Amino acid sequence: MTETKAVKSEQTRALIVQTALRLFRERGYEATTMRAIAKEAGVSVGNAYYYYGSKEELIQAYYDELQDEHLAACRAVLDAETGFAPRLLGVLKARVDTMVPYHEFAGKFFKFAAEPTSPLNPFSAESGPARDSAVAIYREVVEGSDLKIDKEFRKELPELLWIYSMGIVLYWVHDSSPGCRKTYLLVERTVPLVNRMVSMSRLPGFKSVTRELVGIIREVRA
């Protein structure tokens, strides 16, 4: 009985999220109310608020769902490849693959996510769980590869790769090419550059620069 109730609860949560995403696409984020979401989902307003206290929480649920899809989509390449560049390329392509169906929607709410004080901002405290999950994927990219670099730089590299991926996402939001073809091209052309720069970090002439970069990262984060 308890298990059946839990399944029904998860189904209701999923229904509310999917309904919200559809209405955000159709009506815009600002114009969509929790009351409208509840009505379209066929649940009471109180029930909708029971699962999600605000529209922002619904977007965070979308972030989490997208992150789960990305992890599943890049599992094959992470299990099969040991080279840093192929692993990174596969993970970034999988990222774009999972985002493409939401391309029209992303453009409509991007202005809210870009607001520094917004809980939808990927750097906000509210986005922390999704951000940590994303960084964990890039940590797996690094740790599961045959990459040989300074151990301190190795610790910071996953977060730098996540920031790089956010640049890819920003470009994708504004990409009007069919099937986001230019975003895929950007990934394919920049991954070899990233691979070369990371590999160069272990060369004698670049070690001091790498250590300085690590110091800057840690100072800014503190």
Side-chain angles (χ1 to χ4, degrees), residues 149-160 201 206-222:
I149 55 174
D150 178 83
K151 64 179 182 179
E152 294 304 315
F153 182 46
R154 193 181 189 92
K155 290 178 184 178
E156 304 300 336
L157 185 55
E159 188 167 350
L160 290 174
S201 70
F206 289 89
K207 283 185 177 180
S208 61
V209 176
T210 301
R211 288 169 184 167
E212 185 175 351
L213 175 61
V214 169
I216 292 171
I217 294 169
R218 291 176 177 175
E219 185 176 353
V220 170
R221 184 191 295 138

Side-chain angles (χ1 to χ4, degrees), residues 24 29 34 37 48-49 51-59 119:
F24 292 157
Y29 180 76
M34 288 293 287
I37 293 168
Y49 274 110
Y51 289 104
Y52 299 101
S54 65
K55 291 191 294 183
E56 287 80 6
E57 286 188 16
L58 283 163
I59 295 297

Side-chain angles (χ1 to χ4, degrees), residues 53-218:
S54 65
K55 291 191 294 183
E56 287 80 6
E57 286 188 16
L58 283 163
I59 295 297
Q60 292 298 337
Y62 157 70
Y63 284 166
D64 293 340
E65 183 177 301
L66 194 60
Q67 190 58 39
D68 289 342
E69 290 178 15
H70 181 213
L71 181 59
C74 63
R75 178 48 51 202
V77 70
L78 290 175
D79 289 344
E81 293 285 353
T82 58
F84 172 70
R87 288 170 72 83
L88 181 58
L89 179 64
V91 165
L92 287 173
K93 280 189 171 181
R95 179 64 169 164
V96 180
D97 288 344
T98 56
M99 293 191 305
V100 165
Y102 304 98
H103 189 249
E104 183 180 354
F105 166 63
K108 291 182 178 179
F109 84 86
F110 175 73
K111 63 180 181 179
F112 299 101
E115 172 60 43
T117 59
S118 171
L120 303 181
N121 188 309
F123 295 92
S124 70
E126 292 84 354
S127 296
R131 182 172 61 251
D132 290 344
S133 296
V135 172
I137 290 179
Y138 294 103
R139 184 172 295 110
E140 187 173 352
V141 168
V142 174
E143 295 304 321
S145 75
D146 52 13
L147 194 62
K148 294 179 175 60
I149 55 174
D150 178 83
K151 64 179 182 179
E152 294 304 315
F153 182 46
R154 193 181 189 92
K155 290 178 184 178
E156 304 300 336
L157 185 55
E159 188 167 350
L160 290 174
L161 293 176
W162 173 72
I163 292 172
Y164 160 52
S165 76
M166 293 304 295
I168 298 294
V169 171
L170 177 60
Y171 184 86
W172 166 78
V173 169
H174 298 281
D175 184 4
S176 59
S177 64
C180 299
R181 178 184 59 82
K182 290 185 178 180
T183 302
Y184 285 104
L185 179 61
L186 180 65
V187 169
E188 291 168 0
R189 297 298 295 273
T190 57
V191 164
L193 290 176
V194 171
N195 181 48
R196 285 202 291 272
M197 287 189 289
V198 169
S199 299
M200 288 171 62
S201 70
R202 67 175 181 267
L203 299 177
F206 289 89
K207 283 185 177 180
S208 61
V209 176
T210 301
R211 288 169 184 167
E212 185 175 351
L213 175 61
V214 169
I216 292 171
I217 294 169
R218 291 176 177 175

